[in-house]
């Protein structure tokens, strides 16, 4: 005999504290990556200017005699890339769960894919920087390495904007929903 279908299904009680907690968890890899980078690299080096040098002459002017310190900073950046990519992917996933519209969900998926493209650009940029720094340490200068590093860095920064905006929106929505829910629980008898 067929069982009758229930007329209603009890909704699962939302866990508002979890909404806040998962936003915090998403930030952990990034914080760890920044701390690792700060321990391994000289944060006073003009790395951003080196990334956008576009030629060996400009890079040589920035690096002067500190090629080893710059190489250490670029190598430490590999861990930071992994860390910020994990944070961006987690935050885009949180944004996906917070957004209700189909277009909004598609935008979060696009942002997650762009986060992977940003990471690929950053990995390529670091590889080119290491190649260029190695050529500087030998007394030469590989213009093509710094040119490609600059192109990849520019692409990374442009693509990073919508990804970071999506990630921030997702985290803010999760925290806001969690805080609002906790307030309602407190006031409801």
């Amino acid at each position: 005999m067929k069982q009758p279908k229930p007329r209603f299904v009890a909704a699962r009680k939302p866990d508002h504290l979890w909404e806040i907690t998962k936003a915090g968890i998403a930030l952990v890899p990034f914080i760890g990556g920044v701390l690792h980078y700060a321990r391994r690299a000289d944060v006073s080096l003009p790395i951003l200017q080196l990334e956008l040098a576009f030629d060996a002459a400009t890079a040589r002017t920035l690096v002067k005699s500190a090629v080893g310190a710059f190489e250490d900073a670029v190598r430490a950046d590999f861990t930071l890339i992994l860390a910020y990519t994990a944070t961006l992917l987690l935050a885009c996933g949180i944004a996906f769960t917070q957004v209700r519209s189909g277009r909004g969900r598609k935008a979060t998926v696009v942002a997650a894919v762009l986060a992977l493209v940003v990471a690929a650009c950053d990995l390529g940029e670091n590889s080119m920087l290491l190649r260029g720094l190695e050529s500087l340490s030998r007394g030469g200068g590989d213009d093509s390495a710094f040119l490609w590093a600059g192109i990849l860095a520019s692409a990374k920064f442009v693509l990073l904007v919508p990804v970071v905006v999506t990630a921030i929106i997702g985290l803010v929505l999760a925290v806001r929903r969690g805080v609002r829910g906790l307030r309602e629980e407190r006031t409801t008898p």
Side-chain angles (χ1 to χ4, degrees):
M1 213 166 206
K2 264 185 153 178
Q3 294 290 335
K5 289 185 179 180
R7 292 187 169 204
F8 65 91
V9 177
R12 188 179 74 168
K13 182 180 175 189
D15 188 353
H16 302 295
L17 190 56
W18 175 242
E19 295 292 328
I20 299 167
T21 304
K22 67 183 178 183
I25 290 170
L27 294 173
V28 169
F30 179 69
I31 293 167
V34 168
L35 292 174
H36 177 268
Y37 183 82
R39 279 196 334 233
R40 302 272 187 232
D42 181 358
V43 294
S44 68
L45 293 174
I47 293 294
L48 181 60
Q49 291 90 333
L50 181 65
E51 290 175 350
L52 299 171
F54 288 100
D55 62 46
T58 306
R60 189 177 298 108
T61 303
L62 288 167
V63 172
K64 297 175 184 142
S65 62
V67 173
F70 277 89
E71 287 176 334
D72 290 344
V74 172
R75 284 189 186 98
D77 192 37
F78 284 107
T79 305
L80 186 58
I81 294 167
L82 177 66
Y84 79 68
T85 303
T87 292
L88 290 174
L89 290 174
L90 288 170
C92 286
I94 291 169
F96 183 85
T97 65
Q98 298 300 313
V99 176
R100 302 287 182 228
S101 73
R103 283 186 180 165
R105 286 186 171 212
K106 285 178 186 174
T108 62
V109 171
V110 168
V113 171
L114 286 178
L116 296 173
V117 173
V118 165
C121 287
D122 209 352
L123 291 170
E125 168 207 318
N126 282 2
S127 297
M128 291 294 103
L129 285 175
L130 287 173
R131 187 173 123 193
L133 288 169
E134 181 184 329
S135 72
L136 288 179
S137 68
R138 290 191 314 250
D142 187 352
D143 277 337
S144 67
F146 290 107
L147 174 65
W148 278 107
I151 291 169
L152 290 168
S154 300
K156 169 186 75 174
F157 291 127
V158 168
L159 295 174
L160 200 53
V161 172
V163 177
V164 169
V165 168
T166 303
I168 290 171
I169 289 171
L171 296 177
V172 167
L173 287 175
V175 169
R176 190 180 86 187
R177 182 172 288 163
V179 168
R180 184 180 293 157
L182 288 174
R183 281 187 193 149
E184 289 172 5
E185 282 180 6
R186 224 182 298 151
T187 59
T188 306

